[in-house]
Amino acid sequence: MTLRTDRRRFLMGAAAAASTLPISGCFDPLVGGDSQVRDVLAKANDLTYRAQRLLLGSDTLAPEFAKSDIRQPMRPNGSTNPQDEPYLALARNAFSGYRLSVSGAVKRTLSLSLDDIHAMPARTQITRHDCVEGWSCIAEWTGTPLGAVLDRAEVLPSARYVVFLCFDTLANSFTGPVRYYESIDLQDARHPQTILAYGMNGTALPVSNGAPLRVRVERQLGYKMAKYIRAIVVTDNLAPYGEGGGGFWEDRGYDWFAGI
Ligand SMILES: Nc1nc2c(c(=O)[nH]1)N[C@H]1C(S)=C(S)[C@@H](COP(=O)(O)O)O[C@H]1N2
Ligand SMILES: [Mo]
C-alpha cells in the first residue's frame, strides 16, 4: 500500500529534519490541494464510508476480549512524548490544571477538569487496536463515553462531526511542525464503545499512550484515535481544521473513514 510508504517517508523526513541531514525525495504528491490522485481517493473513500455505514448500521460493537487475551504491553506509536510547552506545564503538575474544552455547535460550552470527567459515567472495554502500519495490540481501556459529554454540551441539530484538537506537534522538513488533530462523524461519536479514555490496563493512561485523555474509536484504525486531546469542537464543516482533510494523516493522503 503506497500510503504506508508515504507515511514512512513523512516520518523519515521528520527524523532527517531533527538530525539536520539534507534530504531529498520527501515530497508527498497527495498533499497538493488539487491533486487528481487525491480526488479519486476521496471519492473511493466516500463510497467505502457509505457502504460500511449501510452494512454495519450505527451500533454494531467491535469485538471485546478477556483479560487473558492481553498478551503484550500496549505499543506506543506516533507521538509518545510531546515536548510542547503547554503540555509539559500540565504534565509537571500531574495534569491537575487540565481542562477539556468542548465548544462549537453546542448549546452549552464546557470546560471539564479530569475530576469532572472521572465523575461521569465510566466504561471499561478490552479491544484490539489496529494500526495502519500492520500491527495490532489488545488492551483494556477505561473512560467516559463521548456521547455523555456531548449530551452535557447539548449538540445542535446542524452538527455533523466531532473534531479532536491535540497538544502534540509532529515535525516535517517540508511543512515544519504540524499539530495533530482528528475527526469522526456523530454516529461514531455516539457509538457506545467510543470513550474518552483516561485509564489503560488498570492504571492511569501513560503519557506514551496519550495522557491525560485520548479517544477510542473501536471500529476504525489507530490513527483516528487522537491522543493528548486538549479540545473538542462540534461542527458541520471540517475545512477550517488543518488542511481540511479531517485529520493529520488524512491531510497526508489517508482515508478519513478508516473502518475495519
Ligand atoms: N495526538 C496524537 N494522536 C495519535 C497519534 C499521534 O501521533 N498524535 N498517532 C496515532 C496512531 S497512528 C496510532 S496507531 C495510535 C497509537 O496509539 P498508542 O500510542 O496508544 O499505541 O495513536 C494515534 N493517535
Ligand atoms: Mo497508527
Side-chain angles (χ1 to χ4, degrees), residues 66-139:
K67 271 203 176 14
S68 55
D69 295 318
I70 305 173
R71 298 197 184 86
Q72 79 301 306
M74 181 65 201
R75 170 181 169 163
N77 199 42
S79 296
T80 54
N81 190 15
Q83 292 303 304
D84 308 73
E85 189 43 48
Y87 182 81
L88 292 175
L90 290 168
R92 275 194 289 272
N93 296 307
F95 300 105
S96 56
Y98 175 81
R99 293 288 179 282
L100 172 69
S101 144
V102 183
S103 65
V106 294
K107 229 185 227 171
R108 201 173 307 133
T109 294
L110 306 178
S111 173
L112 302 172
S113 69
L114 285 177
D115 284 348
D116 294 335
I117 294 166
H118 282 242
M120 295 185 70
R123 190 181 203 282
T124 292
Q125 60 205 30
I126 301 176
T127 50
R128 199 185 65 210
H129 178 105
D130 296 308
C131 175
V132 69
E133 292 169 340
W135 54 269
S136 306
C137 277
I138 293 176

Side-chain angles (χ1 to χ4, degrees), residues 106-248:
V106 294
K107 229 185 227 171
R108 201 173 307 133
T109 294
L110 306 178
S111 173
L112 302 172
S113 69
L114 285 177
D115 284 348
D116 294 335
I117 294 166
H118 282 242
M120 295 185 70
R123 190 181 203 282
T124 292
Q125 60 205 30
I126 301 176
T127 50
R128 199 185 65 210
H129 178 105
D130 296 308
C131 175
V132 69
E133 292 169 340
W135 54 269
S136 306
C137 277
I138 293 176
E140 182 188 76
W141 305 96
T142 301
T144 194
L146 177 56
V149 173
L150 295 178
D151 284 347
R152 193 182 273 204
E154 292 190 54
V155 172
L156 299 179
S158 61
R160 293 181 62 193
Y161 309 106
V162 174
V163 180
F164 305 97
L165 304 177
C166 306
F167 282 105
D168 60 313
T169 47
L170 285 101
N172 176 278
S173 50
F174 279 88
T175 56
V178 182
R179 192 156 275 165
Y180 204 91
Y181 78 105
E182 256 305 334
S183 61
I184 55 177
D185 66 9
L186 274 174
Q187 203 166 314
D188 262 331
R190 292 193 174 283
H191 184 274
Q193 288 170 318
T194 299
I195 60 174
L196 293 174
Y198 44 74
M200 189 189 86
N201 291 339
T203 58
L205 185 66
V207 163
S208 54
N209 298 99
L213 215 56
R214 70 96 55 83
V215 69
R216 297 294 309 167
V217 187
E218 303 293 1
R219 298 180 307 173
Q220 295 205 49
L221 289 171
Y223 64 87
K224 299 299 293 183
M225 309 201 210
K227 310 195 282 188
Y228 317 110
I229 296 174
R230 63 182 173 85
I232 287 177
V233 185
V234 182
T235 181
D236 64 350
N237 180 16
L238 297 176
Y241 304 95
E243 292 179 40
F248 175 88

